[in-house]
Amino acid sequence: MNQKYIIFLVFLSLHLANGQLNYYYYYSSCPNLQMIVKYGVWAAMKNDSRVPASILRLHFHDCFVNGCDGSVLLDDTETFKGEKNAGPNRNSIRGYEVIDNIKADVERACPWTVSCADILTLAAQEAVVLSGGPNWMVPLGRRDGLTANLKSANTDLPSPLDPLATITAKFAAVGLNLRDVVALSGAHTIGLAQCFTFKYRLFNFKGTGQHDPNLDSSLATCLKTACPNVDKSNTNLNSLDMVTTYTFDNAYYKNLVNNAGLLESDQALMSDPKAASIVNDYSMYPYLFYNDFSTSMTKLGNIGVITGLNGEVRKKCGVINH
C-alpha cells in the first residue's frame, strides 16, 4: 500500500477518534454521499422551485436551536415536544420530505452511517450551488441529537419582526458576528415570504397613515396589490428578491441599497453604519459576498455539533433510534 495513503488513513483515523469534524469523514464509509445529496436536492427542485430556500432555512433553524444536531427534523414523542410546531416553524418551515427522501437514498447506499445533521448541512450547501451560488467544502462528522428544544425554538430564532440589535444579539449568542449577520441574510436572495411578515410596512406604518419610509414607494404600491390590507392575504407569498427570485446572487444587497428590502429586518441592515458598509460592498462585489457567505455558512454549520461517540446516527430523521 502506498505510504502516503497509509499516512492519510492514520491522519483520518486520528480525526475520527478525536471527534472533530473533517472533510473526509465519509471518504471510505460512504464515498458517493455528496452525489446522492446533490441528486436529491436537484430532483426536489425540479418539482418545486422553492426547495433551495426551504432547505437553507431548515438548516438555519436547526443550527440556531441546540446546535446543528438535526433536532428540527424530530417529530413529537411522549417524552419531548419537537420543534416543528414552534412559532417560527409552524405552517412556515418546509423541506422535511426532501431530507427524508435523501436520507432513505443514503441508507440504501450506506446503512447506519451518515447522520441526518450532516445530510441537512450538505443539502443546504447543494441548495446554494444548484441555485447558482458559491461552492464550499463542508466539514462532516456531526452526530444526531437525542432530543429537541421547543422552548429554544420559540425564543432563540431570529425573527423578521426583530430589531437589528436583537438579531445581532441572537447571532452573537451562537458565536456569529455582525459580518455573519449581513452575509447570512443574503440567503434571502432566494425564496418567498408570507405577507404577514411585512404587510405592516405597507399600511399605516407606526400610525403614520403611510407606508414605511424606508420602503421604496413604487415597491410599496406593488406589494399592496399582492398583499391587500385584509386578514385573508396574510399567507399570500411574495418574492424576497423580486429581481432574481430563484437565483442565488447579490441582487438582495442591491435591493437594500435602493430601499427595496422586503422584510423590515433586512432593510434595517442599512440603518447601522457598519452593516450598511458591508451591504454596499456586497452589492458591488459579488465574489466578496460569495466568499463571506461560504465562510459564515461553515461557521453556522459548526454551531454546537455533537461528535465522536455522543448522540447517534438516526435511521429515520424524524425519530430517535429505539
Side-chain angles (χ1 to χ4, degrees), residues 128 131-134 182-183 185-190 240-258 260-261 269-270 278-293:
V128 172
S131 300
V182 181
S185 293
H188 287 169
T189 184
I190 56 175
L240 284 160
D241 167 16
M242 297 179 72
V243 180
T244 53
T245 302
Y246 300 109
T247 301
F248 196 99
D249 54 23
N250 69 329
Y252 164 85
Y253 298 103
K254 295 178 181 179
N255 293 341
L256 297 188
V257 170
N258 293 313
L269 295 175
M270 296 302 292
I278 300 171
V279 169
N280 279 304
D281 286 345
Y282 290 167
S283 73
M284 294 184 290
Y285 307 111
Y287 289 103
L288 175 62
F289 163 51
Y290 290 168
N291 183 71
D292 284 0
F293 183 82

Side-chain angles (χ1 to χ4, degrees), residues 214-228:
N214 292 319
L215 180 64
D216 177 76
S217 295
S218 59
L219 177 58
T221 300
C222 177
L223 291 173
K224 286 176 182 178
T225 302
C227 300

